[in-house]
């Protein structure tokens, strides 16, 4: 009975009727595959030609009996889709059910696609050529919507700069690793934060970058290629790695080669500086490019790069030369980790914190968006939809605004201060609205061989070395090398929504070191929930295009990459800021030598100081919605 009901929905769509949308999330993957096999015309392992002759393996799903050209939902991925599963399977079924063609394609150098792999899959050429091919098909109405999360979203950004005439709309979800430089953020695809390398791509590249991959011989006919795909998915099975142990290996440059991996992407990237010209030659989107596509963005507070995502959203709205593209950028920001936009609902737990009822119908929102831009239904996506919809933690509700941050947000500066010392949770570090008078400072010893460990926060895709989300920070706050500054309990709610700036006056006896900052919500029972964090390598304080070492005894100002969030600190809660010099394994340790770090095996201890006097103040600035 269940299958007959679902198939009926397919039949209605295929006949061009206005079928009511099904909730495909409640059906098993086997049922969805059976439906597609019976109710969709399917072509598998089609080699779509690129301009250099390389063919990209592509599967096409179209409703049987559909009359007239179809709009297309396009999902491009470096991952194995030989047997559709997860989101790709559900969206193939959803698309066919709603009268769309669904096209899924492997990037070059992955599985059944030809060529050599490169991160983001040549979006400026391969992406453009794929749209050319879709547009030219007899079954296409010439309108394509790109869709996907993480790697299937990141490539869309550089493609949007090409403004292909068939690229009618896009839905980039958790797309930060596709951003090179935008405004204050120069993360080069999440490789850096504040000039400090992140560890997540070390694990990701081990699993994805496979220069020894098996490939089919060229010249096979389509039927043979499809037949091979029925019993061989060309998926490499690499040896398991205990990443929680391996991530501590030094030098970092041997992280993968020491596992027996041949030279590949990691070996090139680990040597690049944040401003290396090679970052500007690949598939990353940079803020010197135009933008030509309406976009519905999905981001989340505990993802790896919420800041660049929201900065790019603003950049497009302010700078795209195409008025239609400028005016049609919409963002939805959930309180979840990476790509968990389909898990929203009652009693959502993020990390260890219950953030309430986050219910949001992501699927319906996506197809309303595509209905407007791919089918020409102006009523599908409501004209009065707010440009920004965001979930405020603490308040635990969805809110909306027309701009980001909300126009009502006003900066409130809190200064770091202490009398006897802010070392650890048991010090007397405070956050005060009044600027400090006199002189003050807090010092600690940073030993890179005994780093402060990461507990939660925004992260992803890291082999289990960090679990993202809201977790209690008191275990690290108990350390003497963590400075802790805490406000008095609030007497009324304080809603913080937008970019959170942190500025530190620092000194060190090391030529180079890192300073890490964390924003924390302290509950009345003492639980210290992480909200967001940031970090900066001191040598880049004057810009990523130059490196300037520190001199012992000199005080320097660090303007760290902003944190980004929406949280309401409730009455009785306290606002806390942590400052230290490591956040490992989320970020690679600075060995304090002033050297290259990536090729060094020994670190030295650094005596680091945060100043908070009248002459050298340190502070955090919160965007407070009055």
């Amino acid at each position: 009975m269940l299958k007959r009901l679902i198939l009926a929905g397919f039949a209605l769509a295929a006949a061009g009727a206005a079928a009511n949308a099904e909730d495909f999330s409640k059906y098993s993957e086997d049922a969805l595959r059976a439906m597609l096999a019976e109710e969709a015309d399917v072509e598998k392992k089609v080699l779509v030609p690129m301009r250099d002759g390389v063919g990209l393996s592509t599967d096409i799903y179209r409703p049987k009996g559909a009359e007239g050209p179809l709009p297309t939902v396009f999902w491009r991925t470096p991952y194995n889709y030989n047997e559709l599963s997860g989101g790709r399977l559900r969206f193939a079924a959803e698309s066919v059910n709603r009268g769309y063609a669904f096209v899924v394609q492997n990037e070059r150098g992955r599985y059944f696609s030809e060529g050599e792999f490169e991160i983001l899959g040549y979006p400026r050429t391969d992406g453009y050529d794929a749209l050319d091919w879709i547009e030219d098909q007899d079954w296409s109405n010439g309108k394509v919507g790109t869709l996907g999360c993480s790697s299937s979203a990141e490539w869309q950004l550089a493609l949007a700069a090409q403004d292909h005439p068939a690229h009618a709309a896009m839905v980039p979800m958790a797309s930060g690793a596709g951003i090179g430089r935008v405004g204050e953020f120069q993360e080069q695809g999440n490789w850096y934060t504040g000039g400090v390398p992140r560890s997540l791509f070390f694990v990701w590249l081990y699993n994805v970058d496979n220069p020894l991959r098996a490939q089919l011989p060229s010249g096979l006919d389509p039927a043979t290629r499809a037949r091979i795909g029925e019993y061989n998915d060309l998926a490499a099975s690499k040896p398991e790695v205990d990443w929680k142990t391996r991530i501590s290996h030094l030098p970092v440059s041997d992280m993968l080669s020491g596992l027996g991996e041949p030279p590949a992407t990691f070996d090139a990237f680990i040597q690049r500086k944040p401003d290396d010209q090679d970052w500007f030659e690949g598939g990353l989107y940079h803020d010197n490019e135009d933008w030509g596509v309406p976009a519905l963005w999905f981001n989340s507070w505990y993802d790896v790069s919420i800041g660049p995502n929201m900065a790019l959203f603003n950049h497009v709205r302010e700078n795209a030369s195409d008025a239609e593209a400028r005016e049609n950028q919409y963002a939805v920001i959930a309180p979840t980790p990476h790509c968990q936009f389909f898990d929203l609902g009652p009693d959502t737990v993020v990390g260890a914190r219950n953030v309430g009822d986050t219910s949001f119908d992501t699927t319906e929102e996506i197809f309303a968006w595509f209905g407007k831009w791919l089918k020409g239904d102006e009523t599908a996506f409501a004209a009065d939809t707010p440009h920004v919809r965001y979930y405020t933690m603490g308040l635990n509700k969805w809110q909306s605004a027309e701009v980001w941050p909300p126009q009502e947000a006003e900066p409130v500066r809190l200064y770091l201060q202490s009398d006897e010392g802010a070392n650890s949770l048991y010090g007397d570090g405070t956050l005060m609205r009044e600027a400090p008078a006199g002189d003050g400072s807090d010092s600690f010893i940073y030993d890179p061989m005994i780093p402060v460990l990461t507990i939660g926060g925004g992260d992803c895709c890291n082999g289990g070395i960090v679990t993202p989300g809201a977790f209690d920070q008191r275990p690290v706050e108990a350390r003497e090398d963590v400075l802790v500054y805490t406000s008095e309990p609030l007497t009324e709610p304080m809603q913080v929504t937008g970019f959170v700036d942190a500025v530190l006056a620092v000194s060190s006896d090391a030529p180079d070191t890192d300073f890490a900052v964390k924003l924390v919500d302290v509950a009345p029972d003492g639980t210290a929930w992480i909200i967001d964090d940031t970090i900066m390598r001191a040598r880049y304080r004057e810009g990523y295009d130059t490196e300037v070492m520190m001199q012992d005894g000199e005080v320097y100002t660090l303007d760290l990459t902003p944190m980004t969030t929406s949280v309401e600190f409730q009455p009785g809660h306290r606002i806390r800021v942590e400052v230290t010099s490591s956040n490992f394994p989320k970020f690679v340790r600075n060995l304090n030598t002033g050297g290259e770090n990536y090729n060094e095996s020994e670190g030295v201890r650094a005596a680091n100081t945060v100043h908070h006097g009248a002459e050298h103040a340190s502070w955090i600035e919160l965007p407070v919605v009055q």
Side-chain angles (χ1 to χ4, degrees):
M1 177 63 178
L2 175 62
K3 184 177 178 182
R4 288 200 302 273
L5 287 173
I6 304 172
L7 293 180
F10 271 98
L12 285 172
N20 292 326
E22 293 277 355
D23 179 7
F24 283 79
S25 64
K26 63 186 178 183
Y27 302 128
S28 73
E29 293 198 344
D30 285 342
L32 293 176
R33 291 189 192 102
M35 289 188 309
L36 283 170
E38 292 186 35
E39 297 301 319
D41 289 324
V42 183
E43 297 177 76
K44 290 192 172 184
K45 305 300 179 292
V46 175
L47 280 184
V48 173
M50 301 293 103
R51 64 188 65 181
D52 61 356
V54 168
L56 302 189
S57 184
T58 307
D59 290 3
I60 304 104
Y61 298 81
R62 292 176 288 128
K64 281 186 178 177
E67 297 181 4
L70 299 170
T72 301
V73 175
F74 185 27
W75 188 302
R76 195 158 175 267
T77 178
Y79 300 128
N80 187 6
Y81 73 82
N82 192 44
E83 182 178 63
L84 282 183
S85 61
R88 289 185 290 272
L89 173 60
R90 185 149 61 88
F91 271 99
E94 292 273 8
S95 298
V96 171
N97 175 246
R98 297 168 188 258
Y100 296 85
F102 182 81
V103 175
V104 57
Q105 182 180 84
N106 262 140
E107 294 176 0
R108 69 167 59 204
R110 298 295 291 161
Y111 302 99
F112 286 81
S113 285
E114 298 174 339
E116 298 299 321
F117 170 72
E118 179 185 293
I119 284 181
L120 300 177
Y122 295 79
R124 290 182 176 81
T125 53
D126 287 1
Y128 199 96
D129 294 350
L131 292 184
D132 275 349
W133 184 86
I134 294 172
E135 184 182 31
D136 288 343
Q137 301 309 298
D138 291 341
W139 47 259
S140 171
N141 74 349
K143 295 184 181 297
V144 181
T146 51
L147 170 66
C149 197
S150 194
S151 291
S152 295
E154 293 147 9
W155 75 280
Q156 298 181 43
L157 309 185
L159 180 65
Q162 311 308 302
D163 195 15
H164 191 289
H167 198 186
M170 58 191 292
V171 182
M173 311 173 82
S175 59
I179 304 170
R181 178 196 64 207
V182 57
E184 297 179 76
F185 299 90
Q186 191 158 315
E187 297 196 352
Q188 306 298 14
N190 295 160
W191 195 264
Y192 293 102
T193 294
V196 182
R198 303 186 71 115
S199 299
L200 73 91
F201 267 116
F202 306 174
V203 180
W204 190 86
L205 283 168
Y206 175 78
N207 291 315
V208 175
D209 196 6
N210 187 19
L212 302 180
R213 78 186 187 100
Q215 299 186 59
L216 293 182
S218 60
L220 292 178
D221 62 89
T224 301
R225 291 178 57 84
R227 178 62 176 163
I228 292 173
E230 293 179 8
Y231 55 81
N232 189 331
D233 61 6
L234 302 183
S237 179
K238 290 189 176 181
E240 292 291 327
V241 177
D242 178 4
W243 285 107
K244 290 187 176 180
T245 301
R246 182 64 184 174
I247 205 67
S248 297
H249 176 80
L250 293 174
V252 173
S253 56
D254 295 343
M255 187 71 67
L256 300 191
S257 62
L259 297 172
E261 288 293 286
T265 305
F266 170 84
D267 304 88
F269 281 16
I270 196 62
Q271 301 181 51
R272 289 187 189 176
K273 304 295 179 66
D275 202 51
D276 193 304
Q277 188 58 37
D278 285 344
W279 292 117
F280 298 86
E281 300 297 330
L284 294 171
Y285 177 90
H286 301 282
D287 60 9
N288 62 336
E289 300 180 84
D290 204 353
W291 187 280
V293 185
L296 174 62
W297 305 78
F298 283 86
N299 298 318
S300 48
W301 299 134
Y302 285 99
D303 201 359
V304 64
S305 57
I306 180 61
N309 278 319
M310 295 311 298
L312 179 54
F313 171 75
N314 284 344
H315 171 76
V316 173
R317 294 189 75 190
E318 295 165 3
N319 295 286
S321 63
D322 186 313
E324 185 176 66
R326 282 198 313 273
E327 295 164 5
N328 287 284
Q329 303 295 317
Y330 293 83
V332 177
I333 311 104
T336 52
H338 188 71
C339 283
Q340 294 183 15
F341 304 110
F342 301 96
D343 300 326
L344 303 173
D347 296 319
T348 300
V349 176
V350 178
R353 188 178 191 181
N354 191 311
V355 295
D357 186 354
T358 64
S359 296
F360 189 95
D361 197 335
T362 302
T363 300
E364 285 303 313
E365 195 71 14
I366 290 170
F367 280 102
W369 181 251
F370 283 158
K372 173 182 173 68
W373 295 103
L374 307 187
K375 291 186 173 182
D377 182 358
E378 291 295 332
T379 66
F381 190 82
D384 60 353
T385 301
H387 281 273
V388 187
R389 286 166 288 176
Y390 59 95
Y391 195 85
T392 301
M393 300 173 290
L395 180 63
N396 291 354
K397 66 179 290 188
W398 286 98
Q399 301 200 93
S400 63
E402 287 306 307
V403 295
W404 182 262
Q407 194 166 16
E408 300 81 5
E410 297 289 343
V412 172
R413 187 171 294 185
L414 300 179
Y415 292 91
L416 280 56
Q417 299 188 47
S418 71
D419 292 324
E420 301 298 325
N423 301 77
S424 87
L425 177 64
Y426 309 105
D428 68 353
T430 59
L431 293 174
M432 305 289 290
R433 292 203 183 204
E434 300 81 15
D439 295 323
S441 64
D442 294 302
S443 299
F444 59 94
I445 300 299
Y446 161 48
D447 186 345
M449 313 316 287
I450 314 175
V452 175
L453 298 181
T454 306
I455 302 178
D459 211 342
C460 83
C461 324
N462 55 35
I465 61 174
V466 174
T467 301
F471 290 96
D472 191 353
Q473 301 302 297
R474 284 177 291 182
V476 298
E477 292 172 353
R479 295 178 53 138
E480 284 290 312
D481 56 354
V482 178
L483 306 180
V484 180
Y485 303 90
T486 310
S487 73
E488 291 296 318
L490 299 177
T491 58
E492 58 185 27
M494 179 182 284
Q495 188 179 136
V496 174
T497 297
F499 296 109
V500 178
D501 290 318
V503 174
L504 301 178
V506 302
S507 58
S508 176
D509 66 354
D512 182 49
T513 192
D514 295 345
F515 284 90
V517 174
K518 192 180 298 176
L519 178 64
V520 177
D521 180 1
V522 184
D525 66 359
T527 305
W529 301 112
I530 181 173
I531 301 302
D532 200 2
D533 56 48
T534 186
I535 195 168
M536 186 171 191
R537 186 145 289 179
R539 68 174 69 184
Y540 295 117
R541 64 190 178 275
E542 295 183 13
Y544 295 114
D545 57 348
T546 185
E547 299 179 50
V548 183
M549 298 300 159
M550 306 173 78
Q551 301 296 319
D552 191 5
E554 292 293 318
V555 179
Y556 303 96
T557 298
L558 304 186
D559 188 352
L560 283 78
T561 297
M563 295 173 279
T564 313
T565 192
S566 181
V567 60
E568 184 167 283
F569 296 91
Q570 295 296 308
H573 287 230
R574 292 172 291 164
I575 302 169
R576 177 171 291 166
V577 171
E578 297 175 22
V579 181
T580 186
S581 286
S582 54
N583 186 351
F584 179 82
K586 182 175 180 176
F587 298 105
V588 172
R589 294 163 286 178
N590 193 325
L591 300 179
N592 298 327
T593 65
E596 298 290 356
N597 271 288
Y598 71 85
N599 58 3
E600 298 178 275
S601 299
E602 299 291 335
V604 298
R605 287 154 57 102
N608 292 342
T609 299
V610 174
H611 300 264
H612 47 71
E615 183 178 358
H616 300 294
S618 295
W619 43 267
I620 189 167
E621 193 164 85
L622 306 173
V624 175
V625 177
Q626 303 296 335

